[in-house]
Amino acid sequence: MRSEKSLMRKTHFLGTKIRNLRKRNNLTMEDLSARCIRVDSSNAPSVSYLSMIERGKRVPSADMLAVVAAVFQKDVDWFLDDVPEEQAITPDKGSRGGVSGMPLEPSFLFSNDILQIAIPEMLSQTGTSGRQFAHLLIRAHQEHHQNHFPDLERAAEEVGQKRMPLSADDMLDIAKGMGLKVKWIDKTPQVIKDSSGQASNQVTTSFFEPPNSIYINKLLKKRPHRLKYDLAVHIGHCVLHNKDGLKSVMMSGSRESTDDTMQSNTLNAQDILHAWRDFESSFFAGALLCPKVPFRQLLDRHGYEINVHQQLQVSASVAMRRMTVVSPYPHWHYFDAYAPGKLKAVYRGNGIPLPWGNMRLVEDPCQHWAVFRVINEPLEGTSAQISILNVGDEPRIYCCESIKVDDSAGNPHVLCAGIDLNPAIEAQGKDARSIAHDLKQACVSAGGSVIIPRSIKQDLTSVAKILNINWVERGIENDARLICSRGAVCPRQPSCYSQGKSQCSGSD
């Protein structure tokens, strides 16, 4: 056992190293203390004691330091080697999700007047509707801010008082307390066809009519998680938008119809306003049902398992979308996909290239993306997948967990939450580009998927434990897979597309 005097002599850099490790993993002192408690509650530092350790005011016992070392997957000696790190490590505030920006030069071509003419023309030529463009704008705004909207969080917390879970009766009481009247209606799912001829079910789940009426489909009495979400959205609409007269209609299933293309050359300011208010109300609903601090603590206790949504009686969709908001790790993505390959929702806090366009279907979507495999294959056991994808010229390692569910109209769809592992690897002082390159080459040599080599597996397992995300550890036990953003850049040898699209749709 290392003596206390030995630790005392080596505390000059110890507090700094713990602080830097904590910050580069985006953990608050409350987060780190909670992690330590789960490792060894009897030797875990409190938040106040941890603060004093980081400032050099206290020296941790040998047992306490061992607990901190276990959280960060480091040897105790690393904290005591009297060698400062090359640089103090803080989160990269310049990093933002989404597609990289571009310089707007020459600037006179990007004036408001020119853009007001050019954007509607561009939408007309590409067949993009005003509503689709509005959602693209909002998604870019979300990704730029990495899903952090503190004003919306505070508004939800004032209404829900950070209570978790809220029952359906709680939600009805909140609505009643705001002077809202809930009325029940009978609506059955209708079969509709989209522009490609694909048939699916669609049903109106609820709508708000001014001044104070919420009409809810009786179908939701058997789907309490959807009932709570719809109520939360309408409450958000009333809180945020002051019941201003917009008629808010909520649907389940496809929102498209065959006459969508008729609207492709229009850009109406109301489309953008309605879409923005829908986004705000939806974000508010998630924050009301899964308040940030208690939900983050729940996820941390359960290793970010998707099934925590069952404890809260919220949908998997709400829980997975909130993960991208409350996690201390910022590099998340989230997809909601319908067969044969339509993205209904996208969030990319890590800038991952889309596997296919969410405006319309593309001809060559990569079938090795986990979300596609889960759509097209029966799901058995965990769906956790480690994937390697080139972003520009740089290979990146991703991990995701997918789940197949039915919406309120009875349509199966797949929800997928994932993270970019490269920043987490770099945060541990490893060369993420080199590791990703080696894993990519191993996959290429094996025809597209491979058991992860032992040395890489050790690095990824260490990162998974630090992130405290259980499905990353499960993904490491499965084969790693090469994926691509489009078939034309397939990295497999031979290419999935060399013999036609059918080659890629098969299992590995």
Side-chain angles (χ1 to χ4, degrees):
M1 180 66 67
R2 201 180 303 270
S3 71
E4 302 302 321
K5 288 184 178 179
S6 172
L7 285 177
M8 180 71 75
R9 288 196 302 270
K10 293 178 176 290
T11 57
H12 182 66
F13 298 119
L14 189 153
T16 300
K17 286 188 170 186
I18 292 175
R19 182 177 68 250
N20 286 347
L21 270 177
R22 177 177 63 76
K23 286 190 173 184
R24 77 167 118 176
N25 286 286
N26 296 284
L27 299 177
T28 65
M29 279 189 274
E30 289 81 0
D31 293 330
L32 178 53
S33 178
R35 295 269 183 96
C36 290
I37 288 170
R38 284 199 299 281
V39 172
D40 181 353
S41 59
S42 61
N43 289 301
S46 66
V47 174
S48 58
Y49 199 78
L50 190 56
S51 175
M52 289 188 284
I53 292 172
E54 290 190 359
R55 289 182 288 123
K57 303 291 187 182
R58 291 289 187 274
V59 180
S61 67
D63 289 338
M64 183 179 290
L65 184 58
V67 173
V68 174
V71 170
F72 290 117
Q73 296 288 291
K74 295 282 189 184
D75 291 331
V76 170
D77 287 341
W78 182 87
F79 293 89
L80 303 173
D81 60 11
D82 270 356
V83 178
E85 294 187 88
E86 292 182 6
Q87 58 182 3
I89 298 162
T90 56
D92 181 5
K93 295 182 179 179
S95 173
R96 286 291 182 264
V99 176
S100 299
M102 58 175 284
L104 301 181
E105 298 291 347
S107 59
F108 64 83
L109 287 179
F110 295 91
S111 67
N112 285 341
D113 289 344
I114 298 298
L115 287 176
Q116 284 175 337
I117 298 169
I119 288 175
E121 179 70 12
M122 178 188 71
L123 300 185
S124 177
Q125 291 187 16
T126 60
T128 303
S129 71
R131 186 180 66 202
Q132 289 169 335
F133 181 64
H135 285 292
L136 180 61
L137 280 175
I138 292 165
R139 195 186 78 209
H141 183 70
Q142 269 187 281
E143 293 171 353
H144 178 70
H145 290 280
Q146 292 191 317
N147 243 349
H148 291 155
F149 299 99
D151 290 347
L152 300 178
E153 296 276 0
R154 282 193 294 271
E157 289 172 358
E158 287 176 8
V159 171
Q161 301 297 308
K162 300 183 183 180
R163 289 178 290 162
M164 189 183 81
L166 290 169
S167 68
D169 286 340
D170 290 332
M171 297 300 298
L172 289 166
D173 287 342
I174 290 172
K176 183 178 179 181
M178 296 178 64
L180 298 171
K181 296 179 180 178
V182 174
K183 302 177 181 180
W184 298 93
I185 57 171
D186 278 309
K187 293 278 187 180
T188 56
Q190 305 294 316
V191 178
I192 66 163
K193 291 186 177 181
D194 62 20
S195 54
S196 66
Q198 187 77 19
S200 63
N201 294 328
Q202 182 187 74
V203 66
T204 299
T205 55
S206 63
F207 59 90
F208 173 80
E209 281 194 349
N212 59 358
S213 296
I214 302 174
Y215 291 83
I216 300 179
N217 195 326
K218 290 180 179 178
L219 289 174
L220 299 195
K221 289 184 176 182
K222 295 181 179 179
R223 298 179 69 92
H225 61 277
R226 178 66 197 233
L227 171 61
K228 292 197 297 183
Y229 175 72
D230 277 36
L231 284 168
V233 170
H234 293 303
I235 290 169
H237 172 64
C238 294
V239 169
L240 300 172
H241 310 135
N242 199 29
K243 308 176 186 176
D244 68 353
L246 286 178
K247 185 174 180 179
S248 179
V249 180
M250 299 191 65
M251 312 286 292
S252 186
S254 173
R255 289 176 177 266
E256 290 193 356
S257 60
T258 52
D259 62 351
D260 256 3
T261 53
M262 301 297 291
Q263 307 299 320
S264 63
N265 61 350
T266 63
L267 179 60
N268 190 317
Q270 283 293 100
D271 284 332
I272 296 177
L273 179 62
H274 283 227
W276 175 250
R277 290 187 166 179
D278 284 348
F279 161 72
E280 286 192 314
S281 299
S282 178
F283 190 97
F284 175 97
L288 179 60
L289 295 171
C290 302
K292 189 169 187 176
V293 172
F295 186 55
R296 179 172 172 171
Q297 292 170 343
L298 178 69
L299 290 172
D300 207 36
R301 290 196 300 272
H302 292 275
Y304 282 74
E305 293 288 6
I306 306 300
N307 62 13
V308 297
H309 77 92
Q310 296 169 353
Q311 291 187 36
L312 303 182
Q313 272 204 320
V314 299
S315 68
S317 173
V318 168
M320 292 165 81
R321 282 188 286 124
R322 285 296 285 171
M323 281 183 187
T324 72
V325 180
V326 308
S327 170
Y329 190 68
H331 307 285
W332 284 76
H333 59 266
Y334 168 79
F335 298 141
D336 181 354
Y338 282 75
K342 182 76 174 178
L343 278 177
K344 181 181 176 184
V346 176
Y347 169 72
R348 301 173 301 148
N350 58 347
I352 185 172
L354 290 177
W356 68 101
N358 69 326
M359 297 300 182
R360 59 187 48 77
L361 230 57
V362 298
E363 293 300 318
D364 58 351
C366 175
Q367 299 290 329
H368 300 289
W369 283 69
V371 69
F372 262 123
R373 291 197 306 106
V374 175
I375 283 177
N376 294 319
E377 298 175 5
L379 181 59
E380 296 180 5
T382 181
S383 66
Q385 176 173 316
I386 296 288
S387 305
I388 305 91
L389 171 68
N390 265 25
V391 180
D393 295 328
E394 179 184 353
R396 301 186 77 87
I397 303 175
Y398 297 94
C399 186
C400 67
E401 177 85 302
S402 303
I403 182 172
K404 185 182 285 188
V405 295
D406 287 342
D407 64 24
S408 297
N411 302 298
H413 60 124
V414 173
L415 308 170
C416 178
I419 59 170
D420 180 350
L421 284 169
N422 279 40
I425 296 169
E426 293 284 353
Q428 309 316 315
K430 302 283 187 177
D431 186 345
R433 180 189 285 262
S434 175
I435 292 172
H437 180 269
D438 290 347
L439 185 54
K440 177 183 176 181
Q441 291 305 115
C443 284
V444 170
S445 299
S449 63
V450 71
I451 296 173
I452 299 175
R454 182 182 298 273
S455 60
I456 296 176
K457 189 173 183 178
Q458 289 175 342
D459 288 333
L460 296 184
T461 300
S462 177
V463 165
K465 290 183 181 299
I466 294 168
L467 291 173
N468 189 36
I469 301 176
N470 291 349
W471 40 263
V472 176
E473 293 193 61
R474 292 199 295 271
I476 294 165
E477 297 302 320
N478 297 329
D479 286 2
R481 297 170 184 262
L482 284 176
I483 62 175
C484 62
S485 56
R486 290 290 189 272
V489 292
C490 177
R492 295 175 178 237
Q493 298 175 0
S495 166
C496 296
Y497 297 85
S498 59
Q499 298 179 6
K501 183 176 176 181
S502 61
Q503 174 83 12
C504 195
S505 61
S507 59
D508 289 324

